[in-house]
Amino acid sequence: MDALIVASTIQQQHALSDVMHRAGIDCVVCSSAAEARRESLCRPFDIFIVNGGLPDERGNELSASLAETNDCGGIYIDDFARVDMFGDDLGRSGVISLVRPLTKTALGDAVRMLVVANVRVTALRIENSELKSKLEDEKCVFRAKILLMRALGYTEEQAHKYIEKKAMDNRQSRRKVAMDILKTYEA
């Protein structure tokens, strides 16, 4: 798991990276929003921590942007007034807002919550991808059935059996057989 840490001072950077290393998370440390944006373009991050008070941009804006563009959760740390003002909006983006001064225990708990959420989201993404692939397979097979019904006068059941038998006989997926049918009869 990789993390992006954005903090303007060396002391903040060391404190935040120490917590991440204790959690077994590799991290890239940046001292400005511009540097963090460049890093996030170069490689994906699973989580991020933005310590407010950056020299070139407001930390809440960077946090919202990172959460949206990288599709990951993060932690935004700032003074009570800013967290109170932006915390709800950031929460809807998947960002946990924490108030300074902050203990390492509280930060560690927030990091653990993000890690658990990230594992769950990753599993859901994989499942979603598999379901999309199956849906595309079924769409392709359905189109092939329709072509067989129109071109050869098959019933839907006959077209279905034809595709199934062809797939088994040729040791191919139903989608591959359907694609071959589409190439043959759509041309």
Side-chain angles (χ1 to χ4, degrees), residues 3 61 63 65 72 91 94-95 121 124 134 147-148 165 176 179:
E61 293 172 355
S63 296
S65 176
C72 65
V95 179
V121 167
L124 290 172
K134 286 180 182 179
L147 282 176
L148 288 173
K165 182 164 177 23
K176 171 72 171 106
M179 293 298 287

Side-chain angles (χ1 to χ4, degrees), residues 166-177 180:
K166 193 97 160 150
M168 285 192 326
D169 290 347
N170 295 339
R171 294 184 181 160
Q172 296 176 326
S173 68
R174 292 180 336 126
R175 182 177 184 148
K176 171 72 171 106
V177 171
D180 291 342

